[in-house]
Amino acid sequence: MVLKIRLARFGKRNAPFYNIVVAQARTARNSKPLEVLGTYDPIPKPPSSGEGKAVKDIKLDISRAKYWLGVGAQPSEPAWRLLSMIGLLEPKYHGPPQAEGDQVGVESQ
C-alpha cells in the first residue's frame, strides 16, 4: 500500500482551499483520505495588524506529518514545497540542467 501526502482541493471556483491529506496513491484527488494533516489557503491575506506583507495561511499538525513521513508516505511536489517551507523536508533544487561535460568539481585534463 503506497501512501502519498498530497493536497485535496476544496473551495469555490477562483477561490481554492486545500486540505493536506494522507491518502493511498491510487485513489482520486478528492476521495476520502486516511487522515487530514492540515489546511493550506493559497490566496494571500493581509495581516491582522494592517501593516506588512500579505501571507498565505498554512496550518499543519507537525507531529502527525513527521509520523507519516517516518512510515514511508511520499509527498507530492506541492506537498513537498509546503513541508519544506515548514522545515520538515529539505527543499528540492530545480536548477538548470547540466551537460555531461559541465560537472561541478570535476577537472578534465
Side-chain angles (χ1 to χ4, degrees):
M1 178 167 86
V2 179
L3 298 175
K4 291 286 240 183
I5 297 175
R6 61 186 182 195
L7 303 180
R9 185 183 165 127
F10 292 95
K12 297 183 276 188
R13 183 176 40 175
N14 298 326
F17 185 81
Y18 297 94
N19 278 348
I20 304 168
V21 299
V22 176
Q24 293 183 9
R26 295 185 178 203
T27 59
R29 178 186 70 182
N30 289 335
S31 62
K32 186 176 179 184
L34 295 174
E35 184 175 352
V36 177
L37 299 177
T39 59
Y40 169 58
D41 189 1
I43 307 295
K45 304 280 190 269
S48 59
S49 63
E51 297 179 6
K53 202 173 175 183
V55 294
K56 298 178 181 181
D57 188 29
I58 303 172
K59 294 179 183 168
L60 182 68
D61 186 355
I62 294 174
S63 63
R64 294 303 294 167
K66 284 182 183 177
Y67 167 78
W68 284 110
L69 289 170
V71 297
Q74 297 294 314
S76 65
E77 287 292 323
W80 190 291
R81 277 188 271 118
L82 292 176
L83 293 173
S84 66
M85 279 190 242
I86 294 170
L88 293 178
L89 294 174
E90 293 292 321
K92 286 186 178 178
Y93 175 69
H94 295 291
Q98 295 180 348
E100 289 183 27
D102 295 339
Q103 294 180 354
V104 177
V106 176
E107 295 181 19
S108 60
Q109 294 180 359

